[in-house]
Amino acid sequence: MKNNDPHTLGLLLIDGFALMSYASVIEPFRAANALAGTDLYEWLHVTVDGRPARASNGASVIADRKVGEALECDTLFVFAAGDPASFADAATFAWLRKLALAGTRL
């Protein structure tokens, strides 16, 4: 990343995620871009299967990537569903470990 390139954020959305949590994370970065008059941050939406993720209120967010695909980002936020302990997708956990080993902040 060059000094003037935006910081890339990854947003892993698990079906059933809380829209309020998502908005609480993304809005400060959106506002920073607006106040700076330039893109300081950009973000990529990731879902387990590459299909739109459905929030707990029924709203959908379109995916840019799916779990397992290459993702170059500084930080990855994980938005779990209402019962995160019940999520047991081995491929997702393996991908998260790979990103963490490569230095991505989770």
Side-chain angles (χ1 to χ4, degrees):
M1 180 176 81
K2 297 176 187 166
N3 288 341
N4 58 349
D5 287 343
H7 293 278
T8 302
L9 308 170
L11 308 168
L12 174 57
L13 306 173
I14 305 300
D15 277 334
F17 71 96
L19 194 59
M20 183 64 82
S21 297
Y22 168 81
S24 295
V25 168
I26 203 66
E27 278 301 303
F29 294 110
R30 183 207 56 78
N33 287 348
L35 292 169
T38 189
D39 287 340
L40 301 173
Y41 302 96
E42 63 183 12
W43 41 88
L44 296 168
H45 296 96
V46 182
T47 62
V48 172
D49 57 9
R51 293 187 208 147
R54 193 165 198 88
S56 59
N57 70 344
S60 292
V61 177
I62 297 172
D64 300 301
R65 303 270 193 294
K66 69 179 181 178
V67 164
E69 292 182 343
L71 181 68
E72 292 185 23
C73 64
D74 303 315
T75 303
L76 177 70
F77 292 91
V78 179
F79 298 90
D83 183 12
S86 69
F87 183 77
D89 185 71
T92 299
F93 290 127
W95 183 70
L96 290 171
R97 283 190 295 275
K98 181 179 175 183
L99 289 174
L101 287 172
T104 303
R105 287 184 301 260
L106 302 177

